[in-house]
Amino acid sequence: MKCQQCNKTATFHITELTKGKPQELHLCEEHARQYLTQEEEPAVAPSLAGVLAQQLAVGQTAEELAKLDQRACPVCGITFYEFRNQGRLGCPYDYVCFQAELDPLIVNIHGETEHVGKKSARFPEGTEKRTQLIRLRREMKEAIDDEDYELASKLRDDIRKIEESPPHKKK
Amino acid sequence: MDLNELVSTSGEWLRGSGPESDIVISSRIRLARNLAEFPFISRATQQDRTEIENTLRDRVLEVQESGELEYVNVNDLKVIDRQFLVERQLISREHAESEGARGVAIARNEQVSLMINEEDHLRIQVMHSGLDLQSAWEQIDQIDSLLAQKVNFAYHPKLGFLTACPTNVGTGLRVSVMLHLPALVITRQIDKVFRSLQKISLAVRGLYGEGSQAMGDFYQISNQITLGKKENDLVKQVGDIVPKLIEYERKARDFLVRESHENLHDKVARAYGILRTAQTISSEETMHLLSSVRMGVNLGLIEDLQIPLLNELFIHTQPAHLQKLRGVELDTADRNIERARYLRRHLNKSNGDEAN
């Protein structure tokens, strides 16, 4: 069989299924190369920021968005705006306090909402108790910055109490 | 760790052994983990970072299963040494280029590395030569389980392991295989292959990960989804696609040998000729030409070269390796001259030609 575009022998036999009905092409190496390289660019995987922007644009007024952007995590202090900009969360508790916003994003990325893999070797509540340390340390630092040493020393005692408590129990 | 000891070898990922090693370069698995009692890196103070590093370094070094580990303080390293570890695939570019307290524990055989204060507090990596995902998974699973007994990893009953970026949440698992696919590139089928991989949620990256170009026809295939699937299923998803890609690449090679033998042989011979005679050569051109020569050796078109030497040249001609081997820092122009000299010396030595 000869190439459909010149007199050389056709060595590529391509069946296109994308344009409605199957279309057969018989091409030589050179013309096949030309044909295959003029194809569309590979689809770029949607970026996290892009997916997020798209999601938030649905069903939310600009006012609601601005309000959401200002919401901050009580533990690490990151605002939703900051997360949206850098695509990185500030602490484990963000998954709890921004849950409503993160859930659709997570479905979009993974197509699932529940972990079924390896379990933590630790008592599940361990994380929540531990994240309190993040808040306390931040508050202590702020107290020191404000020269409120009384508050800072109280916070330090609270931190020690958690740090010294047994970190985990086996289930 | 004395990095100079590593310089003269080629490391685990280019060892060039293991199943299907003419096409599959290496199998790599990584787990992302964070300590529950510290903020993620983006909100961590310098003091947090130091405490995270101290806590994790001590625990990590206790884990015997990783093999004999050496700790490298990445923050104290010179730029060229960080670059050297990136070329070696022992740390990521992000880890090399960020700032503040951070480090990496590396096994002597370079199969295991544990990065501290990367995007997550801890990134565990296990890399094996050739197609060897299952045993890499077993090894990393064991290391992770031992560490989980010593520290509190951030974990949510429904979402699993919590990570700084929601793209890694759940298992925190990234399974990747590095492939050498020169014939699919020459026959222009590579984009089609990649589009079909993206449809089944597999990502394709270049040699040095995110955003890097596919230098030397090396491609990394990895899972994108980390939540809602068991670790073994994620390993299997990537593992199952590899034999198909190997088959496509072999078919493309057969096709080239059959249908355009002269063109292929010419391309390979010219690449070999340039590498043996050039007086100044960039890293990109070197990778490109070595890729052709590597395929030529695998197809029997070049008979006086061995794959281990070629693999070594791939890594030794990278900028930081070249400078460490020479023992001095060189600018781009001088590197290109030194690279050409290095290639001439090693490629001409192998067939008894003394020209330099």
Side-chain angles (χ1 to χ4, degrees):
Chain A
M1 186 180 283
K2 280 192 176 162
C3 170
Q4 290 169 338
Q5 295 185 17
C6 67
N7 274 329
K8 284 190 208 152
T9 313
T11 46
F12 277 79
H13 308 282
I14 301 166
T15 309
E16 280 288 355
L17 296 169
T18 47
K19 287 156 194 155
K21 54 182 181 181
Q23 185 195 359
E24 288 198 21
L25 293 160
H26 307 282
L27 302 166
C28 68
E29 192 193 339
E30 197 188 328
H31 281 108
R33 181 173 299 172
Q34 274 178 18
Y35 175 77
L36 290 171
T37 46
Q38 57 157 10
E39 297 250 322
E40 80 268 35
E41 291 287 299
V44 181
S47 72
L48 184 63
V51 171
L52 199 56
Q54 211 178 11
Q55 220 144 61
L56 293 170
V58 180
Q60 299 221 42
T61 64
E63 207 175 316
E64 283 170 336
L65 258 180
K67 216 166 160 188
L68 171 64
D69 270 350
Q70 281 174 21
R71 261 186 53 208
C73 167
V75 172
C76 71
I78 194 174
T79 61
F80 196 74
Y81 176 79
E82 286 170 296
F83 163 63
R84 217 154 54 78
N85 257 329
Q86 57 196 23
R88 302 282 183 275
L89 293 162
C91 78
Y93 191 72
D94 294 351
Y95 281 99
V96 178
C97 77
F98 296 129
Q99 192 202 347
E101 291 76 28
L102 287 176
D103 269 358
L105 177 69
I106 285 170
V107 172
N108 200 315
I109 298 168
H110 302 286
E112 298 281 345
T113 54
E114 263 181 70
H115 177 58
V116 295
K118 197 171 173 178
K119 298 244 184 330
S120 171
R122 305 258 153 156
F123 199 54
E125 282 104 86
T127 293
E128 261 176 69
K129 197 170 156 199
R130 295 268 132 183
T131 52
Q132 293 313 309
L133 284 173
I134 301 172
R135 178 177 58 81
L136 292 169
R137 279 202 213 97
R138 185 167 64 92
E139 285 173 3
M140 183 171 82
K141 188 172 174 291
E142 282 164 8
I144 292 169
D145 290 345
D146 294 343
E147 299 187 4
D148 185 346
Y149 298 113
E150 199 179 329
L151 178 62
S153 102
K154 183 192 166 296
L155 288 164
R156 192 196 52 209
D157 292 345
D158 291 348
I159 291 169
R160 284 216 181 124
K161 219 179 286 168
I162 297 184
E163 280 179 342
E164 281 161 14
S165 70
H168 65 103
K169 293 175 204 156
K170 289 270 183 221
K171 268 198 263 188
Chain B
M1 173 179 252
D2 185 1
L3 297 182
N4 294 321
E5 279 178 28
L6 298 180
V7 174
S8 58
T9 64
S10 56
E12 173 67 14
W13 71 277
L14 278 173
R15 195 153 51 86
S17 62
E20 313 278 6
S21 61
D22 57 331
I23 293 174
V24 186
I25 305 295
S26 63
S27 304
R28 174 158 61 157
I29 301 199
R30 74 111 163 98
L31 287 170
R33 296 287 186 259
N34 289 277
L35 295 176
E37 63 266 39
F38 289 97
F40 293 146
I41 295 298
S42 71
R43 300 291 291 179
T45 61
Q46 286 307 319
Q47 199 189 339
D48 288 332
R49 288 184 72 119
T50 305
E51 281 181 43
I52 295 164
E53 188 188 11
N54 290 342
T55 305
L56 282 173
R57 181 189 53 222
D58 294 349
R59 300 296 166 274
V60 155
L61 291 176
E62 286 166 17
V63 175
Q64 307 288 326
E65 277 64 18
S66 319
E68 197 189 334
L69 288 174
E70 296 256 5
Y71 193 76
V72 179
N73 183 331
V74 174
N75 199 32
D76 285 351
L77 283 185
K78 286 195 288 185
V79 172
I80 186 177
D81 288 329
R82 290 180 201 165
Q83 181 60 33
F84 172 79
L85 292 176
V86 173
E87 289 173 5
R88 210 72 180 180
Q89 307 238 318
L90 293 169
I91 66 173
S92 63
R93 279 197 307 190
E94 181 171 341
H95 199 237
E97 288 164 10
S98 74
E99 282 171 18
R102 65 196 189 286
V104 60
I106 301 168
R108 284 238 154 245
N109 63 11
E110 296 181 55
Q111 286 191 343
V112 182
S113 84
L114 301 106
M115 276 184 279
I116 297 173
N117 289 345
E118 206 244 19
E119 182 184 301
D120 294 292
H121 296 162
L122 180 67
R123 288 275 177 103
I124 314 171
Q125 167 183 296
V126 170
M127 182 160 53
H128 288 181
S129 195
L131 181 56
D132 195 19
L133 286 172
Q134 194 53 39
S135 71
W137 161 246
E138 282 161 21
Q139 191 177 6
I140 203 168
D141 182 31
Q142 198 180 15
I143 294 169
D144 172 60
S145 297
L146 288 163
L147 281 170
Q149 288 167 18
K150 297 167 187 283
V151 292
N152 284 282
F153 287 138
Y155 184 84
H156 185 283
K158 187 172 160 234
L159 289 171
F161 291 96
L162 302 178
T163 52
C165 183
T167 51
N168 296 315
V169 77
T171 55
L173 180 72
R174 187 81 66 219
V175 181
S176 54
V177 173
M178 181 151 16
L179 302 163
H180 187 224
L181 304 173
L184 286 176
V185 174
I186 295 173
T187 57
R188 318 278 166 136
Q189 298 174 79
I190 199 94
D191 286 347
K192 270 207 153 151
V193 171
F194 290 170
R195 277 198 295 275
S196 55
L197 289 176
Q198 278 164 350
K199 279 180 195 146
I200 54 168
S201 296
L202 292 177
V204 181
R205 297 190 177 85
L207 180 54
Y208 288 107
E210 253 159 283
S212 73
Q213 282 189 326
M215 284 196 297
D217 307 321
F218 289 111
Y219 295 91
Q220 294 187 69
I221 316 295
S222 58
N223 62 305
Q224 254 171 339
I225 288 168
T226 58
L227 180 72
K229 286 199 166 70
K230 287 196 163 73
E231 286 84 355
N232 267 318
D233 294 336
L234 291 170
V235 172
K236 194 169 175 300
Q237 190 200 8
V238 175
D240 282 354
I241 203 75
V242 173
K244 295 198 182 99
L245 295 171
I246 293 172
E247 191 194 323
Y248 290 151
E249 170 68 16
R250 290 209 198 286
K251 273 192 183 152
R253 290 183 186 189
D254 286 349
F255 174 82
L256 288 172
V257 168
R258 210 173 50 238
E259 301 292 336
S260 62
H261 192 270
E262 287 76 20
N263 286 343
L264 179 70
H265 200 162
D266 183 64
K267 185 180 164 74
V268 168
R270 280 169 188 267
Y272 194 21
I274 292 171
L275 289 170
R276 281 195 296 179
T277 54
Q279 299 297 308
T280 168
I281 190 164
S282 70
S283 180
E284 289 73 21
E285 186 179 4
T286 304
M287 296 283 278
H288 179 67
L289 297 174
L290 281 172
S291 174
S292 292
V293 170
R294 191 178 191 277
M295 178 171 64
V297 171
N298 281 329
L299 290 175
L301 298 171
I302 295 174
E303 288 176 344
D304 59 354
L305 263 182
Q306 303 297 320
I307 290 293
L309 171 67
L310 273 175
N311 285 350
E312 193 176 285
L313 290 176
F314 268 110
I315 189 118
H316 283 177
T317 56
Q318 299 283 316
H321 273 78
L322 199 66
Q323 294 173 79
K324 301 275 295 174
L325 282 165
R326 180 75 189 180
V328 286
E329 295 199 18
L330 302 165
D331 64 21
T332 310
D334 285 343
R335 279 205 300 273
N336 291 347
I337 293 169
E338 175 60 24
R339 183 176 294 113
R341 185 168 20 221
Y342 190 88
L343 286 164
R344 289 200 306 276
R345 194 164 65 232
H346 286 83
L347 289 172
N348 292 322
K349 190 169 60 184
S350 70
N351 57 13
D353 190 343
E354 291 297 313
N356 191 353

